[in-house]
Amino acid sequence: MSTEHILIHEILSEHRDRMENLKKYYPFFKLQELSLNAFKDGRYESVDMGYVTMAVLRFFIEENNFKDMDVTYESYEKFMTELLQRDFDLPKSPDDKEFIQYLFDKICNEGRPFYYTYYDPEKKEKHRGRVRLIESHYQDGGIGYRITSEAVEFYLDTKETKDESKISIQQLLLEKMIRSRNYQGGVDVIRRINGEVRRLMSRKDEIVALLGRNIFEGVEALEEFSQTGLKWFDEEQRLFDSNLELVRKALKTTGGEETPVPEEIYLLNQELKNSMEQHRQLLAACTRLQVQADDMLAAAKRSRFRQAMDFRDLLGRSIRKDDIRTLEAMVAPLFSLNIKKTFSMERLDEMLQYPLEDNEKKESVSPGVLQDYEYEDEKEEQRIQYNMELLVKAFFDILSGRRKLTLKELHHLLVMRFTDNIERNGDYFAFLTHLSQKDEYDLDMVKDHPDTFLEDRMAAVLRKDKKKDYEGMRILLHFLPEEKIHLGEHTYMTNIEFERRGM
């Protein structure tokens, strides 16, 4: 009866999970079925759509995850142009741009998700799943493209190789899970990372045992282990720190009385910290293993040297062979020593002609040439001016898209843009102090007649504004002293409402 229950459970209850797991493979096979024979009279019929899809996904992983950059269409077009010429021996043609655009539209499914249907036996109805390979967003006046977590997971599932770090690859998938707020999926990824860490620790123990049995085989195994596992530690630790920072931001943005921290984020935070601790223990154990292997190898070399150069053994072999000539290898070097030392008289002339330090040629400085010095206060002033202009421009950009904005909202947006390090930057609070000195700022007047330090920085930003995005803007400040913005246990700011007029 229990066997039948397990069978029914795997067929019915787990069917939906299996179908959801299979959805990441659906776009590839859908794209692979695409025929290119009819495009431009069959000029591109030799192009394999499956190969192109995998190459584009790898290109996006390189740009998005390893370089942390959005992919522009121009960079994709350049990559595809080189790929068609290199891998399919296609000569350049005016039709290439249209063909590359056609491929991009197909891989992006013309901006729509790939849909597929499956039957849910528990609810006795059909469900429609959806999956994307590429996502787009508008940023800095252009469109940027990023690969989705499903596409990364699909690409990583297709191949596992020794020349890549499985932990780093899973870390990239974890980053996608956190950014898409799939925290439960992130916990599963971390547990796979922990499994890989335990595998490496077990392999380390096997190498220790092998070193004890056969030093040379053990050293060879250690060298292979170092090439396939240890060399990725720095990259893995960097990705650990990056993902931990993402989790901390998720905890911070969702925490509070009205929005409690979800259990999934808390569990993800704890699992990630435990995984980092196990990774550090693995690094420490492998470091000790390297030192231990060096000591064992040095001891083995000394032991082999004593066996090879044992004078008693050499004498015994000479007696057994009844041939004294075997001792020649030992005594011949003693008769060829050059104990007579000579000194050439020519070296005396060279010593006498060697210049003294006082007679060395000194560097000449042309008269009238002044050296420029940059003092510490000048460096501080340059830093303050740069930070002030950066904060002023960010303030203008945020306010230009809204009619009203509170200081609490502004603080949150600036933390999202510059990270929470801004809360430890004194120039930021100096900016807020200078900003609250007036009740109103007319940017047209400020540009020509600044009368404060902050207005002088505002004028510098306005002069650099070639597009005149801020022309005609007036900013009114309404102070709200009864509202407090808590920054820490003993630190708070009073709220301000900024109102934009004009424009």
Side-chain angles (χ1 to χ4, degrees), residues 215-271:
I215 183 64
F216 297 103
E217 291 183 6
V219 169
E220 183 178 353
L222 176 60
E223 184 177 355
E224 180 184 359
F225 181 58
S226 301
Q227 292 297 323
T228 58
L230 303 186
K231 70 176 183 178
W232 303 103
F233 270 120
D234 291 340
E235 176 69 15
E236 292 165 0
Q237 192 60 46
R238 183 187 68 80
L239 292 172
F240 266 124
D241 295 337
S242 176
N243 285 327
L244 183 61
E245 186 65 25
L246 289 177
V247 174
R248 287 174 177 170
K249 288 183 180 179
L251 287 170
K252 186 173 182 180
T253 54
T254 57
E257 297 179 358
E258 299 180 356
T259 58
V261 176
E263 185 67 23
E264 293 86 353
I265 307 181
Y266 177 77
L267 178 60
L268 178 63
N269 184 50
Q270 293 300 114
E271 289 286 346

Side-chain angles (χ1 to χ4, degrees), residues 383-427:
R383 190 207 76 232
I384 293 171
Q385 291 179 357
Y386 174 79
N387 288 343
M388 286 294 178
E389 291 182 15
L390 192 66
L391 292 169
V392 165
K393 188 176 186 311
F395 175 56
F396 287 170
D397 289 339
I398 295 171
L399 192 58
S400 61
R402 305 182 180 208
R403 283 294 174 186
K404 291 185 178 181
L405 176 72
T406 64
L407 177 58
K408 185 176 182 180
E409 295 171 336
L410 175 65
H411 176 71
H412 176 73
L413 292 173
L414 291 178
V415 169
M416 294 295 292
R417 177 177 293 191
F418 301 110
T419 75
D420 55 0
N421 290 332
I422 196 173
E423 296 182 351
R424 297 184 290 275
N425 192 318
D427 294 339

Side-chain angles (χ1 to χ4, degrees), residues 446-503:
V446 168
K447 182 177 180 181
D448 299 325
H449 305 286
D451 60 357
T452 66
F453 170 76
L454 181 61
E455 288 187 348
D456 185 62
R457 295 300 92 209
M458 288 182 175
V461 173
L462 294 172
R463 286 192 293 270
K464 297 176 183 178
D465 181 24
K466 303 299 183 183
K467 298 182 180 179
K468 301 187 182 300
D469 293 333
Y470 318 122
E471 187 173 1
M473 183 189 293
R474 290 177 56 222
I475 305 173
L476 302 181
L477 280 71
H478 306 291
F479 296 93
L480 307 173
E482 66 280 1
E483 298 183 14
K484 296 182 179 180
I485 306 171
H486 292 277
L487 303 178
E489 186 176 356
H490 304 292
T491 308
Y492 69 89
M493 301 185 297
T494 57
N495 205 2
I496 304 174
E497 183 183 69
F498 304 99
E499 181 183 358
R500 176 177 60 84
R501 293 185 180 178
M503 296 180 64

Side-chain angles (χ1 to χ4, degrees), residues 287-412:
T287 303
R288 292 193 298 270
L289 170 62
Q290 189 66 54
V291 175
Q292 183 180 1
D294 292 341
D295 294 341
M296 295 175 69
L297 181 61
K301 287 180 178 180
R302 289 194 298 270
S303 176
R304 290 179 65 85
F305 177 77
R306 285 197 301 270
Q307 292 176 4
M309 298 301 295
D310 191 341
F311 297 121
R312 292 183 180 179
D313 179 68
L314 182 63
L315 179 60
R317 281 187 282 145
S318 300
I319 295 174
R320 287 192 298 272
K321 293 181 180 180
D322 194 20
D323 188 356
I324 200 65
R325 287 177 298 180
T326 56
L327 298 178
E328 182 181 0
M330 179 183 70
V331 299
L334 301 178
F335 292 100
S336 60
L337 295 178
N338 184 14
I339 59 175
K340 184 177 180 181
K341 304 298 181 183
T342 59
F343 187 82
S344 175
M345 298 300 294
E346 296 179 356
R347 305 295 297 174
L348 290 176
D349 295 336
E350 294 181 6
M351 294 173 60
L352 294 174
Q353 295 175 2
Y354 191 79
L356 300 177
E357 292 185 1
D358 295 339
N359 297 331
E360 290 182 353
K361 185 177 180 180
K362 296 180 174 58
E363 182 182 2
S364 60
V365 180
S366 302
V369 177
L370 299 178
Q371 299 290 335
D372 292 332
Y373 296 97
E374 189 175 17
Y375 297 95
E376 292 299 326
D377 57 340
E378 293 176 343
K379 295 180 181 178
E380 292 293 323
E381 184 177 355
Q382 291 177 3
R383 190 207 76 232
I384 293 171
Q385 291 179 357
Y386 174 79
N387 288 343
M388 286 294 178
E389 291 182 15
L390 192 66
L391 292 169
V392 165
K393 188 176 186 311
F395 175 56
F396 287 170
D397 289 339
I398 295 171
L399 192 58
S400 61
R402 305 182 180 208
R403 283 294 174 186
K404 291 185 178 181
L405 176 72
T406 64
L407 177 58
K408 185 176 182 180
E409 295 171 336
L410 175 65
H411 176 71
H412 176 73

